[in-house]
Amino acid sequence: MTLQIKSLEEYHKVYKGSIDQPEKFWAKQARTFEWRKPWKKVLEYEFDSPNVKWFIGGKLNITENCLDRHLKDRGDQIALIWEPNDPSQVYKTYTYKELYTEVCRCANMLKANGIKKGDRVCFYMPMVPELTIAVLACARIGAIHSVVFAGFSANALADRIKDATCKMVICSDYNARGAKLIPVKAVVDEALTMDCDSVETVLVFKNTGDKVKMKRNRDKWWHNEIEGQRKTCRAAQMDSEDILFILYTSGSTGKPKGVVHTCGGYMVYTCFSFKNVFQYKPGDIYWCTADIGWITGHSYIIYGPLLAGATTMMFEGVPTFPDAGRFWHICEKHKVNQFYTAPTAIRALMAKGDHWPTHYDLNSLKVLGTVGEPINEEAWNWYKEKIGKNKLPIVDTWWQTETGGIMISGLGDISPQKPTYAGYPLPGIQMCLVNSDGKEIRGKDKEGLLCIKFPWPSMIRTTYGDHERCRQVYFSAFKGMYFTGDGARRDKKGMYRIIGRVDDVINVSGHRMGTAEVENAINEHPQVIESAVVGYPHDIKGQGIYAYVISQDKAVDDAFRKEILQVVTKEIGPIAKPDKIQFVSGLPKTRSGKIMRRILRKIASGDTSRLGDVSTLLNPEVVKAIKAGALS
Ligand code: 7RM
């Protein structure tokens, strides 16, 4: 069985061993899985290209490790619990046997519809069990899944379908979220009008049963296609380094990139990190509230928990429907033991009042987790007090889409607790701080740019279709290091606190966004000449979006603002809508024409006092005007 660390002393010992002999350490973990053929070499790497390979020559199928190997000992144990959006609707459960059967039937359905090993399948689905089933079905036959968060617009969906040249799209008819019904099939139809020539089939899962249009020869109903499919499906033999999935994420420039994860290393790391961070014990009920459209859902709703033989729950709805007690109601109802959510959800629920959690019995809880953005001290304390009753550990888990799994975090109740600190790196993870010249900053009580100086099994292998971009974004800043894009502090005891992004990426309610991406969307409005987007501190969302817009011959009023919001919703989705739009006559630029975001960030945060030296700007006079017109 995959190692589960039981004390802080053991952690320090294991950590040291994992750094002294990383290959030995990871080989030992990897041997706890089922491989069709063993690997010939544990690791080969070179960060300059980059070229990273783990468990070279090893053959496996991740779903045999998620499902088949559990059938003997825990076939009748519940693998998956599904809690519906509407609390009056009955919840569903799947035992490992049942989940195995459903995945096999679905895999056969995909094969019957022409999906083969290596084909890309796009998902645009609500949080229903069929999403998990079909994702695993792809993995079973060696097809590559690319899950797109269903809050993205048709344009954004089309971009992702085209970039990965997907052969199939799997969607639902409608999504139910809170009191809203979202016509997802219609969004897919619209996306497919935008040159998505690779798509041959749209498989539609009947979720709400409301009416949709079906296109002949392209669109098929899941319930028709699944009928009569065989209940077993031989898993495809995958190479350790074959692609398991692509997941798009935003960066500081241009369009989102397709982060590529591969089978072997991802399997080993997600299982290991899951078991240790959450200190999962047999029989526990584990719940991560993330959407499977993000990496957290991939690694810690589906793969990590199932690999570990856990009972994992997925929730279709939102934290405030039908009321702000929903999360706590679900914890009581299913006797949840580990609860994993985002700071933005904690802050939103905190704002609804302290009484909500008091109405429910939260005694089953053992570990509380957070992820996605820095957690402020107030939210940390509220979580600790009101949910954890001052008894439960909080694991503040720092990681990224690119890291595949949790990199820095406490391990359940083993690790020391320090508000706003994520803590120590996991075994095998060689974090470091560097200064802007790329020199490593050693010692305690230091601040710098957060890097990782040695490979780990679940690290990004490439950005789909553009390896050079992967090199440039992550491996070119500092030689021999993976650069995270975050700044961090290391305290006297070696614990890390994440300060936040140091690049042009913003984090709005835990959703990662490129400021350039939002600017490009705003610039699509015909009367916009130029725009600049920055993040600013926001009580609930962590960061809000502040847009400075130069317009052409148009009354700068709220009607125009509304049009801009519509354009952004159309280009990206509602999550990217600016909270504030300030019309300006010019943007502060350096002599080389670069926008001075530092100044714009300061003004957006309401701090106009010390803007630093603006005299070197091309147009210092605009700063005064921007300051005068700043929105509070
Ligand atoms: C898992 C995920 C990654 C970015 C990352 C950070 C920020 C994530 C934390 C955090 C402070 C945390 N993947 N971030 N977790 N910041 N404390 N515990 O969120 O690719 O979508 O985002 O999120 O800036 O670089 S992600």
Side-chain angles (χ1 to χ4, degrees):
M1 271 209 300
T2 307
L3 169 71
Q4 191 170 48
I5 294 165
K6 299 244 155 49
S7 67
L8 188 60
E9 299 72 58
E10 188 186 355
Y11 160 76
H12 286 300
K13 202 173 131 236
V14 169
Y15 185 79
K16 188 169 184 311
S18 73
I19 303 309
D20 292 344
Q21 292 178 294
E23 298 181 32
K24 186 176 162 205
F25 175 77
W26 288 117
K28 192 169 168 194
Q29 302 315 317
R31 275 195 292 274
T32 67
F33 295 85
E34 273 178 19
W35 296 77
R36 294 262 187 96
K37 273 192 199 155
W39 55 90
K40 295 193 178 73
K41 196 175 168 202
V42 178
L43 171 66
E44 197 180 280
Y45 84 101
E46 191 245 304
F47 273 2
D48 287 343
S49 344
N51 169 41
V52 175
K53 292 192 173 101
W54 282 92
F55 312 115
I56 299 149
K59 307 284 177 192
L60 75 154
N61 186 289
I62 196 167
T63 72
E64 287 185 331
N65 286 279
C66 288
L67 302 169
D68 309 41
R69 76 168 167 147
H70 298 315
L71 295 182
K72 201 166 125 269
D73 293 337
R74 49 172 81 89
D76 295 321
Q77 179 202 305
I78 291 170
L80 181 67
I81 305 175
W82 175 72
E83 171 67 24
N85 177 58
D86 175 354
S88 65
Q89 206 185 323
V90 285
Y91 69 90
K92 285 187 195 167
T93 61
Y94 295 77
T95 63
Y96 269 94
K97 251 185 217 153
E98 288 165 342
L99 188 60
Y100 164 83
T101 303
E102 290 312 312
V103 169
C104 287
R105 291 175 71 216
C106 182
N108 288 325
M109 164 171 76
L110 296 181
K111 283 210 274 194
N113 279 283
I115 300 301
K116 298 184 304 293
K117 183 172 173 175
D119 287 343
R120 274 82 55 215
V121 176
C122 177
F123 288 80
Y124 193 71
M125 289 273 278
M127 287 286 287
V128 292
E130 287 72 13
L131 169 56
T132 297
I133 289 166
V135 158
L136 291 169
C138 280
R140 188 143 189 107
I141 64 175
I144 297 166
H145 52 82
S146 169
V147 183
V148 176
F149 174 61
F152 280 117
S153 69
N155 287 26
L157 173 61
D159 285 345
R160 287 159 178 76
I161 291 172
K162 282 186 276 195
D163 189 78
T165 54
C166 295
K167 198 166 168 184
M168 179 185 270
V169 179
I170 306 183
C171 67
S172 63
D173 47 7
Y174 290 79
N175 290 3
R177 271 180 77 73
K180 287 191 216 147
L181 213 58
I182 301 151
V184 264
K185 170 62 165 64
V187 178
V188 172
D189 287 341
E190 194 190 337
L192 296 187
T193 63
M194 304 176 200
D195 307 314
C196 296
D197 306 329
S198 57
V199 176
E200 293 172 7
T201 312
V202 178
L203 199 56
V204 187
F205 171 68
K206 191 179 269 189
N207 186 34
T208 67
D210 292 82
K211 211 171 157 46
V212 292
K213 283 201 197 106
M214 296 291 278
K215 188 172 169 178
R216 199 182 280 275
N217 295 330
R218 186 196 71 182
D219 301 351
K220 294 178 178 177
W221 285 108
W222 172 301
H223 59 268
N224 291 337
E225 299 303 308
I226 199 94
E227 217 181 86
Q229 294 297 346
R230 287 186 42 240
K231 293 184 171 139
T232 56
C233 174
R234 172 111 180 113
Q237 176 163 306
M238 305 297 284
D239 187 89
S240 205
E241 286 298 333
D242 278 341
I243 300 179
L244 175 62
F245 66 85
I246 304 168
L247 184 61
Y248 286 85
T249 193
S250 296
S252 50
T253 51
K255 281 195 175 161
K257 43 193 180 275
V259 171
V260 169
H261 285 291
T262 58
C263 297
Y266 181 82
M267 171 177 78
V268 173
Y269 196 80
T270 53
C271 182
F272 175 81
S273 52
F274 170 76
K275 272 185 86 166
N276 284 283
V277 168
F278 297 103
Q279 289 290 304
Y280 185 88
K281 299 284 167 355
D284 283 350
I285 311 288
Y286 162 86
W287 179 25
C288 165
T289 70
D291 192 287
I292 290 172
W294 311 112
I295 190 70
T296 306
H298 282 62
S299 302
Y300 299 111
I301 295 177
I302 303 181
Y303 289 110
L306 294 178
L307 286 162
T311 299
T312 181
M313 181 156 70
M314 59 190 288
F315 171 43
E316 185 184 25
V318 296
T320 49
F321 179 82
D323 58 47
R326 187 68 192 276
F327 273 4
W328 323 125
H329 186 195
I330 297 173
C331 285
E332 175 187 274
K333 177 174 169 185
H334 296 284
K335 301 196 170 49
V336 171
N337 301 112
Q338 290 89 4
F339 176 73
Y340 190 27
T341 196
T344 188
I346 298 167
R347 289 191 298 261
L349 295 176
M350 189 168 93
K352 300 277 182 188
D354 290 353
H355 63 286
W356 287 107
T358 65
H359 302 316
Y360 302 96
D361 178 0
L362 301 177
N363 277 312
S364 57
L365 289 170
K366 296 196 284 191
V367 176
L368 304 175
T370 120
V371 60
E373 47 177 322
I375 184 166
N376 49 310
E377 195 148 358
E378 204 192 343
W380 196 97
N381 287 329
W382 189 85
Y383 201 25
K384 183 86 178 175
E385 241 178 79
K386 305 293 182 236
I387 310 304
K389 319 287 179 202
N390 280 322
K391 288 188 305 233
L392 303 185
I394 294 178
V395 290
D396 178 356
T397 65
W398 175 86
W399 58 298
Q400 309 178 297
T401 306
E402 296 86 343
T403 67
I406 296 166
M407 299 280 103
I408 306 178
S409 170
L411 310 181
D413 56 357
I414 288 170
S415 310
Q417 294 273 298
K418 187 168 174 181
T420 76
Y421 274 73
Y424 295 120
L426 262 65
I429 306 304
Q430 301 195 26
M431 302 304 310
C432 64
L433 298 174
V434 302
N435 65 21
S436 48
D437 304 327
K439 239 182 96 82
E440 186 174 347
I441 305 169
R442 292 179 186 273
K444 306 280 164 84
D445 224 356
K446 293 278 174 1
E447 214 171 287
L449 302 167
L450 191 65
C451 292
I452 311 176
K453 57 182 175 184
F454 194 83
W456 63 99
S458 63
M459 77 185 289
I460 180 174
R461 298 301 196 268
T462 188
T463 43
Y464 194 75
D466 192 351
H467 193 63
E468 167 57 18
R469 190 165 175 204
C470 176
R471 186 196 68 77
Q472 210 266 323
V473 173
Y474 306 104
F475 298 92
S476 71
F478 309 115
K479 193 167 166 52
M481 306 222 187
Y482 166 85
F483 176 44
T484 65
D486 282 310
R489 152 167 288 280
R490 187 171 51 221
D491 75 359
K492 291 189 184 65
K493 290 189 160 150
M495 291 172 76
Y496 285 88
R497 175 198 183 152
I498 311 304
I499 297 163
R501 301 291 303 200
V502 296
D503 53 7
D504 292 320
V505 169
I506 51 177
N507 196 323
V508 182
S509 302
H511 300 322
R512 183 171 153 180
M513 250 171 280
T515 52
E517 207 183 334
V518 183
E519 287 162 8
N520 290 343
I522 294 172
N523 297 348
E524 285 295 311
H525 190 293
Q527 258 85 45
V528 169
I529 296 178
E530 199 182 359
S531 63
V533 164
V534 296
Y536 71 95
H538 187 286
D539 283 348
I540 307 260
K541 300 178 177 186
Q543 278 188 303
I545 305 180
Y546 195 118
Y548 298 88
V549 173
I550 307 176
S551 79
Q552 182 173 42
D553 321 321
K554 184 147 168 120
V556 288
D557 54 12
D558 283 342
F560 188 13
R561 285 200 174 86
K562 220 170 141 190
E563 286 178 25
I564 291 173
L565 296 186
Q566 280 165 358
V567 173
V568 172
T569 304
K570 181 164 174 284
E571 293 296 320
I572 305 173
I575 55 174
K577 282 197 292 195
D579 299 272
K580 294 178 186 176
I581 299 174
Q582 181 184 350
F583 294 105
V584 295
S585 58
L587 294 165
K589 292 201 173 164
T590 63
R591 290 186 192 277
S592 60
K594 265 190 88 173
I595 298 171
M596 280 286 269
R597 283 165 197 286
R598 181 179 57 79
I599 293 172
L600 295 177
R601 272 196 288 267
K602 269 219 139 162
I603 296 175
S605 72
D607 175 8
T608 52
S609 54
R610 294 159 287 113
L611 291 182
D613 186 14
V614 297
S615 63
T616 57
L617 289 176
L618 199 61
N619 50 353
E621 72 287 350
V622 300
V623 176
K624 223 185 197 168
I626 295 175
K627 255 166 53 175
L631 304 167
S632 58

